[in-house]
Amino acid sequence: AQSVTQLDSQVPVFEEAPVELRCNYSSSVSVYLFWYVQYPNQGLQLLLKYLSGSTLVKGINGFEAEFNKSQTSFHLRKPSVHISDTAEYFCAVTEGGYQKVTFGTGTKLQVIP
Amino acid sequence: DGGITQSPKYLFRKEGQNVTLSCEQNLNHDAMYWYRQDPGQGLRLIYYSQIVNDFQKGDIAEGYSVSREKKESFPLTVTSAQKNPTAFYLCASSEGQVTNQPQHFGDGTRLSIL
C-alpha cells in the first residue's frame, strides 16, 4: 500500500531565504506525485505535479520539486520565500491504476519577516 | 469561472442530529471525493465516486453517507453515528477515472458540535 511521509510538521524560515520541504513516499509500483498548498480556511490548490519525464518539475509561485526514484523522495524547494508563502503544504501520491490519492500529514511553512 | 462550491462554510450539529454538507462542481468532472481534515493528520478519504449513481467507501466511511444522483453534485451526510464529527470537510473533483489528474478542491465546511 502506498504511504506518504512529511517528517517536518513545521518549518520556520526568514523572508528571502531558501526553503526545502521534504516528502518521502512508499510504493512498489509506478507513482504520480503532487504538491498542494492550503491557505487558512481554504481548500487545497495544486502547486505542481510529476507524472513522467524530467525529474525536475516547476510549479506556480516559483516552487519546484525533484523526483528521486532511488530515494523515493519528492522534495519541494523555493530559492527565496515571501511572506505570502506562509501556508500549509501537502505532498500526495497516487499509484498507477488506482484512483485513490494518499496525502501526507502536511508541513506548515512559516515565513518570518 | 469553473470550480467547486461547498456550503455552508460553517455548520453546527446538535447531539443525535444528522447534517448534510453540500458540494457542487461545474467542471464537468466525473470523479468526486470527500475528505476529512483534522489538525496534524492530513486529509483522510471518506467516500469517493467515479460516476453517477456509484460510490465507494474510503478509509473512514463509518458514520457518513453520500449520494451521487447528478454528475455535478455529491452531498455528504454526517449521521448521529459519527461520534466525533468536529472537523474541516473538503470536497474535491478530478477528470475521469485517470489517476494522473490532480484534484480540484472546494473551500471546505467547518463542522462543530453544539
Side-chain angles (χ1 to χ4, degrees):
Chain A
Q2 62 194 26
S3 66
V4 179
T5 301
Q6 292 181 250
L7 285 175
D8 303 310
S9 59
Q10 295 190 48
V11 173
V13 62
F14 286 103
E15 193 173 15
E16 297 183 6
V19 69
E20 179 180 84
L21 305 184
R22 296 181 294 168
C23 173
N24 288 88
Y25 67 92
S26 171
S27 174
S28 58
V29 299
S30 62
V31 295
Y32 304 114
L33 295 156
F34 306 84
W35 275 100
Y36 292 87
V37 60
Q38 183 181 34
Y39 299 101
N41 294 314
Q42 292 186 23
L44 279 67
Q45 302 172 29
L46 180 69
L47 269 180
L48 49 78
K49 61 184 178 182
Y50 171 78
L51 303 181
S52 64
S54 174
T55 57
L56 183 63
V57 180
K58 293 190 183 298
I60 63 172
N61 300 341
F63 284 93
E64 62 181 30
E66 186 160 16
F67 171 60
N68 188 319
K69 187 174 182 179
S70 62
Q71 296 187 9
T72 60
S73 68
F74 190 54
H75 301 332
L76 181 71
R77 302 186 183 101
K78 187 170 183 177
S80 176
V81 296
H82 302 285
I83 293 289
S84 60
D85 293 323
T86 295
E88 190 160 16
Y89 294 79
F90 290 92
C91 182
V93 61
T94 62
E95 291 182 340
Y98 291 91
Q99 189 67 19
K100 183 179 167 182
V101 179
T102 299
F103 287 86
T105 51
T107 297
K108 290 185 178 178
L109 174 62
Q110 182 184 7
V111 180
I112 305 165
Chain B
D1 286 341
I4 297 181
T5 301
Q6 289 188 243
S7 62
K9 194 166 181 66
Y10 299 94
L11 187 58
F12 297 91
R13 195 191 89 168
K14 296 179 181 179
E15 293 287 342
Q17 186 182 44
N18 294 352
V19 292
T20 297
L21 285 61
S22 170
C23 177
E24 303 278 332
Q25 55 102 355
N26 60 4
L27 299 166
N28 200 33
H29 286 171
D30 288 313
M32 297 187 74
Y33 312 80
W34 273 106
Y35 293 94
R36 171 178 171 142
Q37 186 177 19
D38 296 280
Q41 296 193 43
L43 277 68
R44 292 183 290 169
L45 183 64
I46 304 173
Y47 270 97
Y48 65 102
S49 167
Q50 295 180 321
I51 55 172
V52 175
N53 292 323
D54 187 47
F55 48 83
Q56 288 78 41
K57 293 181 178 180
D59 300 318
I60 55 166
E62 185 175 350
Y64 300 97
S65 65
V66 294
S67 63
R68 186 87 187 276
E69 297 176 1
K70 298 185 295 183
K71 186 175 184 177
E72 59 270 23
S73 179
F74 191 41
L76 172 74
T77 296
V78 184
T79 74
S80 57
Q82 173 50 245
K83 297 307 179 187
N84 183 24
T86 298
F88 190 50
Y89 290 86
L90 287 164
C91 180
S93 70
S94 65
E95 289 186 45
Q97 301 174 28
V98 186
T99 59
N100 64 1
Q101 296 300 313
Q103 297 192 353
H104 299 252
F105 286 82
D107 280 340
T109 293
R110 191 167 298 279
L111 176 62
S112 303
I113 292 292
L114 282 178

